[in-house]
Amino acid sequence: MPDISLTMLVVLCLAAAAAGWIDAVVGGGGLLLLPAMLLGLPNVPAAHILGTNKAVAIVGTTGAAVTYARKAPVDVKSAVRIGLMALAGSMTGAFFAAGISSDVLRPVIMVVLLGVAAFVLLRPSFGKAQAGGPATRGRHITAVVLVGGGIGFYDGLFGPGTGTFLVLALTAVLHLDLVTASATAKIVNVCTNGGALAMFAYQGTVLWQLAALMAVFNLAGGMFGARMALKKGSEFVRGVLLVVVFSLVAKLAFDQWTA
């Protein structure tokens, strides 16, 4: 456990709870938790921050996934297939990450996100009650290859907003409503987080005591967020989605400006 004040420990635990809630509803909890940990633990190496974040996140994500799977019509087998492909994609993306500048990627991702926000705003029916009917076998294959492999590759290459992109892509490709897409994304996230955590653990860059404490709060936030999404439905998830998308654009713009 690093040398940390009680006040900062409380702040980090609350941030973990809030991040779990956001991640369970629509993805993107890392937008809150990672900056909080970087600011709250300035003397801790970045690798240990990332490793500890994964140890915290996988607990909340698993809790949310279980909560969703019990009450939402989730195709667990398809979600696991997508998750395994995403795991392979993220490892490939990480391999190429050193050769690509994030300064080049940020503007591209910002444009994509703004386009996504405009689409969601202009299409009120997006993400409601399987608007395109049940997905065909071809769409399931597309989801495994493009959603799993493509977004997994992006996660390893760059990362920010991966959970949000998963929700949007699953909604578009598999004709899922936003609640079911969020549930499916959680199962995919469990697979990718598990692979990343195993690597961080092997490298010895996880602060296990701190992670265990924060994980309790992340789990509570994740399960509460999943229950709220199930109760309030797709319109609620759609609103949170737009807030997260615009927050991600603002963060990327700030990072680009200060780079």
Side-chain angles (χ1 to χ4, degrees), residues 6 29 32 37 40 57 70 79 88 102 108 115 140 161 195 197 211 214 217 239 255:
L6 179 59
L32 173 62
M37 292 180 70
R70 287 176 174 173
S102 59
V108 175
H140 278 281
L197 178 59
M214 293 175 63
F217 288 84
D255 289 345

Side-chain angles (χ1 to χ4, degrees), residues 78-173:
S78 293
V80 171
R81 291 190 190 103
I82 296 169
L84 293 175
M85 180 61 80
L87 176 58
S90 67
M91 293 174 68
T92 306
F95 178 79
F96 288 101
I100 297 181
S101 172
S102 59
D103 292 339
V104 175
L105 286 174
R106 285 193 198 103
V108 175
I109 301 303
M110 282 190 284
V111 171
V112 171
L113 283 169
L114 287 172
V116 165
F119 178 80
V120 174
L121 282 170
L122 295 173
R123 291 283 300 274
S125 62
F126 179 74
K128 289 185 179 179
Q130 298 190 19
T136 62
R137 185 171 182 272
R139 283 184 172 270
H140 278 281
I141 294 173
T142 300
V144 172
V145 176
L146 295 184
V147 178
I151 295 179
F153 181 83
Y154 166 79
D155 191 21
L157 186 69
F158 191 50
T162 297
T164 305
F165 279 126
L166 275 173
V167 173
L168 289 165
L170 289 168
T171 302
V173 175

